[in-house]
Amino acid sequence: MLLYLSMLDTQAEKEKFTEIYEQYQHFCWYVANRILSDHHLAEDAVQNAFLALTRHLDKVGEVDTPRTRKFLMTIVKSKAIDLLRKEKGEPALSADELEYDLPDEKTDLLADYITRENYNRLVSCVLELDERYRVVFEYKYLHQLSDQEIADLLGVSAKAVNVRYFRARRKLQEMIQREVASHGR
């Protein structure tokens, strides 16, 4: 804990971090252990998550809220998945993610879908996304993090984050197109 606190500047940050740590450390370990099924690796994932939190503490408002809990869960899940990849020797960025796809602004159904307040269906579609795309999308929209901040949390490059974000958008647009087409029949 002293290592984390030494990375923070003000007393208010240290107190906030301590409160978060004390309230959520067991929850974070539980989430990591469910993914990793290894007590020691789960501890490593939690340490990595709290280390990342020291750099993004400003993204946390009130400590005892569902939003804070979700934010921490997202961080610890991504750190646990990183450890799984490392154990399996998988690269953090797959070859197919190196392509760059930009959405066509004329047919950007995702923006239209959001503005039409189809929130529940959109959330359902987001939950159907592959983990690596869903996490980036959540960080970007729910927590309003920049590409670089997300890259730091996930341990990948900002370009990889950007690619994952645009692929998530494209996949969501495809899901929404199918949804709209099925309701139009």
Side-chain angles (χ1 to χ4, degrees):
M1 175 92 131
L2 289 175
L3 171 68
Y4 303 131
L5 295 177
S6 69
M7 300 177 79
L8 300 169
D9 297 325
T10 67
Q11 186 61 32
E13 287 177 332
K14 292 176 182 183
E15 289 171 4
K16 185 178 194 178
F17 183 88
T18 301
E19 188 177 346
I20 292 169
Y21 184 85
E22 289 173 354
Q23 183 164 341
Y24 293 106
Q25 68 177 331
H26 299 293
F27 165 73
C28 289
W29 182 86
Y30 175 78
V31 169
N33 194 49
R34 295 252 349 225
I35 294 168
L36 296 164
S37 299
D38 181 301
H39 301 304
H40 299 293
L41 284 178
E43 289 174 11
D44 290 346
V46 171
Q47 287 177 1
N48 292 340
F50 278 110
L51 187 61
L53 180 64
T54 63
R55 294 187 302 269
H56 301 285
L57 192 59
D58 60 319
K59 303 296 184 215
V60 176
E62 294 294 316
V63 172
D64 192 18
T65 64
R67 183 180 172 120
T68 299
R69 183 180 173 97
K70 175 84 171 159
F71 183 63
L72 286 169
M73 183 176 70
T74 306
I75 293 172
V76 79
K77 281 173 70 175
S78 68
K79 295 302 179 184
I81 290 168
D82 286 347
L83 287 175
L84 272 178
R85 285 188 185 128
K86 208 179 280 186
E87 289 285 310
K88 294 179 181 178
E90 293 180 15
L93 180 63
S94 65
D96 69 310
E97 289 181 308
L98 294 175
E99 296 176 26
Y100 219 97
D101 296 329
L102 296 175
D104 180 3
E105 291 180 19
K106 293 178 185 171
T107 60
D108 191 357
L109 289 177
L110 181 59
D112 185 45
Y113 209 68
I114 293 170
T115 59
R116 287 189 293 148
E117 298 181 9
N118 288 309
Y119 179 77
N120 289 336
R121 181 60 195 143
L122 179 61
V123 168
S124 174
C125 288
V126 169
L127 293 174
E128 292 176 30
L129 286 173
D130 183 66
E131 179 81 9
R132 65 181 155 191
Y133 300 130
R134 184 185 55 72
V135 168
V136 168
F137 196 83
E138 286 178 0
Y139 277 146
K140 196 115 171 137
Y141 275 98
L142 291 178
H143 306 295
Q144 299 176 346
L145 299 179
S146 70
D147 287 354
Q148 189 58 56
E149 290 170 324
I150 297 169
D152 292 343
L153 286 171
L154 298 178
V156 298
S157 69
K159 179 173 175 139
V161 167
N162 198 315
V163 169
R164 290 178 187 182
Y165 169 71
F166 281 111
R167 287 187 180 237
R169 284 183 59 92
R170 187 181 70 216
K171 288 177 185 296
L172 284 170
Q173 286 180 7
E174 290 168 2
M175 288 179 198
I176 292 167
Q177 282 176 332
R178 284 192 301 269
E179 177 80 14
V180 169
S182 71
H183 286 309
R185 292 182 186 174

